[in-house]
């Protein structure tokens, strides 16, 4: 049995007791969260969110990529969110390499080297600095409606605590 098969069996059990089919599309708390994809971050749990409460946008590093911005535009303009929470975390893999290292690894594995025009790796070497950069990017993005309530945090993977970055 593959991991995917195991997860599909879990879904069967979940669906048996599922009672959230009537939730509205817009998130109840009018908030969007951009967070790292790291498996140690259970975003709903660490923020006390339930299904239907928030949009959660995840990617490697929780970076404010073009796609994250696109998702925030949709979230605000079409689905009514008014607040944005950014979450990076301690012991992040994005701190462990330079963009060129990833491009080298892809070339080693596939024989073809990507460039930043193919995708931006988005590595960083200053955790709080990247949160500040992300805050600035969101606050200055001209296609967002609500940039007055954008806050950034570093989640401590050892303690489970969020620490605000200003």
């Amino acid at each position: 049995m593959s991991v995917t098969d195991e997860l599909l069996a879990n879904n069967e059990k979940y669906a048996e007791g599922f009672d959230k089919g009537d939730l509205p599309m817009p998130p109840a708390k009018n908030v969007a969260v951009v967070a790292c994809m790291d498996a140690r971050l259970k975003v709903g749990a660490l923020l006390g969110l339930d299904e239907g409460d928030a949009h959660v946008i995840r990617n490697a590093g929780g970076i404010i990529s073009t796609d994250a911005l696109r998702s925030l535009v949709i979230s605000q303009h079409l689905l009514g969110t008014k607040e944005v929470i950014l979450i990076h975390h301690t012991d992040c893999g994005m701190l462990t390499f330079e963009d060129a290292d990833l491009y080298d690894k892809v070339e080693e594995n596939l024989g073809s080297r990507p460039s930043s025009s193919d995708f931006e790796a988005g590595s960083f070497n200053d955790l709080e600095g990247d949160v500040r950069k992300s805050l600035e990017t969101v606050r200055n993005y001209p296609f967002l409606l609500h940039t007055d309530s954008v806050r950034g945090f570093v989640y401590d993977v050892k303690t489970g605590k969020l620490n605000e970055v200003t």
Side-chain angles (χ1 to χ4, degrees), residues 25-32 53-55 71-84 145-146:
M25 192 181 302
K29 296 193 180 292
N30 297 319
V31 65
D53 281 349
H55 287 154
S71 295
L72 289 171
V73 168
I74 292 167
S75 180
Q76 288 191 357
H77 286 272
L78 300 178
L79 295 162
T81 60
K82 294 176 176 50
E83 296 183 43
V84 178
L145 288 169
H146 306 286

Side-chain angles (χ1 to χ4, degrees), residues 102-112:
L102 178 59
Y103 301 144
D104 290 345
K105 191 66 166 173
V106 171
E107 183 175 26
E108 175 187 317
N109 290 332
L110 299 177
S112 178

Side-chain angles (χ1 to χ4, degrees), residues 67-164:
D67 194 60
L69 288 167
R70 177 190 68 85
S71 295
L72 289 171
V73 168
I74 292 167
S75 180
Q76 288 191 357
H77 286 272
L78 300 178
L79 295 162
T81 60
K82 294 176 176 50
E83 296 183 43
V84 178
I85 297 171
L86 309 177
I87 302 176
H88 283 35
H89 66 90
T90 58
D91 195 35
C92 183
M94 299 299 285
L95 292 162
T96 66
F97 67 93
E98 298 291 324
D99 287 9
D101 299 331
L102 178 59
Y103 301 144
D104 290 345
K105 191 66 166 173
V106 171
E107 183 175 26
E108 175 187 317
N109 290 332
L110 299 177
S112 178
R113 183 178 186 79
S115 70
S116 60
S117 64
D118 293 311
F119 63 86
E120 286 187 49
S123 66
F124 47 85
N125 56 22
D126 177 359
L127 185 57
E128 289 190 5
D130 199 69
V131 173
R132 286 186 192 93
K133 176 183 164 191
S134 297
L135 286 166
E136 182 179 331
T137 300
V138 173
R139 288 175 178 152
N140 293 316
Y141 195 63
F143 302 112
L144 291 174
L145 288 169
H146 306 286
T147 57
D148 54 330
S149 185
V150 180
R151 296 170 69 183
F153 300 86
V154 171
Y155 174 75
D156 188 320
V157 298
K158 300 287 187 215
T159 67
K161 190 154 180 57
L162 284 172
N163 298 297
E164 189 157 13

